[in-house]
Amino acid sequence: MIKRNKEKGIEWLFTALAFSSLVFLTGIVIVLVKEALPIFSTVSLPAFLGGESWYPTAEPPEFGIFPLIMASFWVSAGAMLICVPLGVGSALYLHELAGERQRAVLKPVIEVLASVPSIIYGFFGMVILAPFLQDRFNLPIGLCVLSTSIVLGVMATPTVASIAEDALGYVPRSFREASFALGANRWETLTRVIIPAAGSGISTAVILGMSRAIGETMTVLMVAGGAAVVPSSIFDPVRPMTAAIAAEMGEAPVGSDHYHALFAVALALFIVTFAFNIIAELISRRYRLKLGLSR
Amino acid sequence: MTKRELIQKTGFTLLAMCMAANIVFLGLIIFFIASKGLSIISWEFLTQAPVDAMTRGGIAPAIVGTLYLTLGAVLIALPLGAACAIYLTEYSPKGWTVNLIRISVNNLAGVPSVVFGLFGLAIFVKKAGFGVSMLSGSLTLGILALPVIISASQEALIAVPQSIREASLALGATRWETIHRVVLPAALPGILTGVILSVGRVAGETAPILFTAAAFYMKGYPDSVLSEVMALPYHIYALMTEGTHPEIQTQIAYGSSLVLLALVLSVSMLAIFIRQRYRRGYNA
């Protein structure tokens, strides 16, 4: 009897602890909403999202985050141009062409690249890439949309590669064998059978890569240049949302409009990444069902 | 060569180039950081505190601070994460709770690191009154590390063959006895891999400690969990963005980056090594 009670107790304990992630996630949402709401008594939601001037410390302050949103959008879009082809290409290479011995080396290379801290990418972008671009393109400043996109793209490549490679692993062998049996060569099988079959899995990888790029902080803080204006060219310095939060929170007095505005920026950022993650989750669930996998 | 073969050849070459790009990226980063960082690193650099407005001396307090913060984060994330993984694989009835927890874990993993920083600032620093401290920083980093530990532990537990569990239950062991005497020991290397991966992740994180733990400069080492700490990643950031001697500071930042990179990369290679050995062990 005592033994059974102990068993029950332990099961309850694990159940309770298992909900910690949910508690933290909910906690984050509550904190963001609660700390963001006060700013909307100062500016309206449309003025906040659509306003083109972000002068939080001016007198009177202006809280329009449109330039920050555009900055995040453009640097992430640029990063996608790099990490989607490279990431998916690497995944296809690993899955289709690399033999056992190559894989044993190449997979760790991707994992190690993924584990390089963002501050190192930021530092690299600041001291190596930005001066190089500045020199190459004769720019007034090397810290701009282009340099940020390049660094973010490189950072997100291993993320896209490893998720896409997982997705390719789910495609049943029989698909490939059927295609070979019909006389298709390896390239035709890859492009007309495997990629379409893994398509939604690959799009999950792309979405999660995008999510990673938008949420990336230290790199954009160091490499993007910091100017809170809507960029008109890829050589303009910008201030993405994450960079604004990281750079300004230290100076914003707790409880001030600026403080609440920064939480509102974080809330907007959270909503975007959350939506991406949910979409990715939904797609990958449907994908697994489609291929007849339950897990 | 037929047209089909030519297309195939071209396609495969392109894929190989994509893969090669990864190697080039990794090589470039390591090469540039190491080539300029190596000359900075000396015994003094690793064991002394910075002096003269961070233009001379070493980075010892930052290294120690990073170790403390990482240790604290793991102490928080490991019990919670392992418990969550055990619940999901060993106890959970199939149904909405599992899905809900899985979705939470996945989404927590996708939360931008700076948002964790804001959460830590509002809850640990302000609400709980821990102030800007090692405790606040470790708690914030612990939450960030949670999803990494959960998914690695879960993978490790799933890899334990069902027959071992059944054998234990058949011998009359209860569920908990089976878990902690049979399943957990078998899954330990995998869980350890998760811990090591999370160490690599946490040690390099900057944004979550910006407003919760990091100090720009400290004379000595932190003496309590409630004191601020220096941390390697933040030190690099501070050297590059503050201060009045950019030339010298960039040099020190190179050295600090090399130390951080060496730390994080060796940790992640260790995790990969353990996992490969352990997987081979199972298949044999």
Side-chain angles (χ1 to χ4, degrees), chain B:
Chain B
M1 205 188 273
T2 66
K3 195 179 157 209
R4 284 174 67 200
E5 282 167 342
L6 190 68
I7 292 174
Q8 167 159 304
K9 189 129 185 95
T10 319
F12 284 175
T13 312
L14 281 174
L15 296 186
M17 282 162 66
C18 291
M19 186 65 236
N22 288 285
I23 303 172
V24 172
F25 292 153
L26 188 61
L28 275 179
I29 292 169
I30 295 177
F31 172 76
F32 274 110
I33 305 269
S35 66
K36 295 208 183 171
L38 270 178
S39 59
I40 310 296
I41 291 184
S42 63
W43 183 245
E44 285 71 35
F45 187 73
L46 295 175
T47 55
Q48 286 179 3
V51 286
D52 292 349
M54 302 217 284
T55 53
R56 290 193 306 115
I59 55 167
I63 297 176
V64 172
T66 287
L67 294 182
Y68 280 152
L69 283 170
T70 310
L71 184 69
V74 169
L75 285 180
I76 290 151
L78 178 60
L80 281 179
C84 181
I86 289 173
Y87 174 77
L88 287 174
T89 51
E90 307 296 319
Y91 282 111
S92 71
K94 290 261 174 286
W96 63 273
T97 46
V98 187
N99 274 330
L100 188 62
I101 293 173
R102 233 201 40 229
I103 292 174
S104 320
V105 174
N106 286 348
N107 276 294
L108 198 62
V111 172
S113 55
V114 70
V115 173
F116 282 104
L118 291 191
F119 177 73
L121 171 68
I123 296 295
F124 303 129
V125 176
K126 301 291 170 202
K127 193 116 189 165
F130 299 148
V132 175
S133 65
M134 222 151 69
L135 183 60
S136 302
S138 291
L139 286 165
T140 311
L141 289 171
I143 300 175
L144 180 135
L146 199 53
V148 183
I149 292 193
I150 292 175
S151 38
S153 308
Q154 226 188 327
E155 204 182 309
L157 290 167
I158 288 171
V160 176
Q162 198 58 32
S163 56
I164 298 186
R165 288 188 187 86
E166 285 159 4
S168 164
L169 292 171
L171 287 170
T174 63
R175 210 166 195 185
W176 170 240
E177 284 163 353
T178 304
I179 292 169
H180 88 115
R181 301 235 183 111
V182 178
V183 179
L184 278 183
L188 207 59
I191 297 176
L192 190 66
T193 312
V195 170
I196 298 173
L197 282 175
S198 70
V199 165
R201 171 89 200 272
V202 164
E205 277 293 346
T206 321
I209 57 170
L210 273 180
F211 339 108
T212 58
F216 178 58
Y217 170 71
M218 279 177 67
K219 256 211 185 86
Y221 299 98
D223 47 10
S224 99
V225 290
L226 290 178
S227 60
E228 295 183 16
V229 281
M230 287 180 74
L232 268 180
Y234 182 70
H235 192 59
I236 298 168
Y237 173 65
L239 284 168
M240 293 308 293
T241 51
E242 290 172 50
T244 47
H245 304 277
E247 292 283 311
I248 308 168
Q249 286 177 208
T250 304
Q251 294 307 308
I252 300 177
Y254 265 113
S256 312
S257 297
L258 182 57
V259 172
L260 179 66
L261 194 63
L263 183 78
V264 170
L265 293 196
S266 50
V267 155
S268 71
M269 281 195 275
L270 180 67
I272 292 168
F273 176 73
I274 292 181
R275 197 181 48 206
Q276 278 188 349
R277 268 193 71 138
Y278 161 66
R279 276 197 184 147
R280 221 178 287 147
Y282 251 118
N283 293 339

Side-chain angles (χ1 to χ4, degrees), chain A residues 11-217:
Chain A
E11 183 170 349
W12 274 106
L13 179 68
F14 278 116
T15 313
L17 291 178
F19 277 92
S20 54
S21 301
L22 181 64
V23 171
F24 291 135
L25 194 64
T26 321
I28 289 173
V29 174
I30 293 173
V31 164
L32 290 180
V33 170
K34 198 173 143 261
E35 297 286 353
L37 275 184
I39 190 64
F40 296 111
S41 59
T42 313
V43 272
S44 68
L45 184 61
F48 182 72
L49 291 176
E52 294 216 9
S53 10
W54 174 255
Y55 298 115
T57 52
E59 205 46 63
E62 289 187 76
F63 298 107
I65 65 166
F66 190 68
L68 314 184
I69 296 175
M70 279 295 112
S72 283
F73 174 78
W74 284 114
V75 296
S76 308
M80 287 294 109
L81 291 180
I82 294 167
C83 74
V84 170
L86 288 183
V88 175
S90 317
L92 290 172
Y93 182 85
L94 266 182
H95 191 258
E96 291 294 315
L97 299 176
E100 270 307 309
R101 289 178 63 183
Q102 270 195 32
R103 279 175 61 91
V105 180
L106 295 177
K107 271 198 79 137
V109 165
I110 288 184
E111 285 180 276
V112 168
L113 190 63
S115 71
V116 173
S118 56
I119 186 84
I120 301 281
Y121 280 108
F123 179 66
F124 185 83
M126 208 171 173
V127 295
I128 308 281
L129 182 67
F132 172 77
L133 291 177
Q134 190 173 3
D135 209 41
R136 196 71 211 262
F137 295 102
N138 245 329
L139 305 174
I141 178 168
L143 305 170
C144 59
V145 174
L146 179 63
S147 50
T148 314
S149 291
I150 294 174
V151 181
L152 281 181
V154 172
M155 282 188 77
T157 297
T159 309
V160 175
S162 48
I163 303 172
E165 210 240 332
D166 280 347
L168 289 166
Y170 287 123
V171 177
R173 271 190 86 86
S174 54
F175 282 34
R176 179 191 318 268
E177 285 157 2
S179 169
F180 286 149
L182 289 171
N185 68 16
R186 288 171 74 193
W187 178 252
E188 288 156 352
T189 305
L190 185 64
T191 50
R192 301 201 198 150
V193 178
I194 312 270
I195 294 179
S200 42
I202 293 173
S203 58
T204 306
V206 172
I207 294 170
L208 291 176
M210 183 94 180
S211 175
R212 161 123 205 233
I214 288 185
E216 183 45 51
T217 310

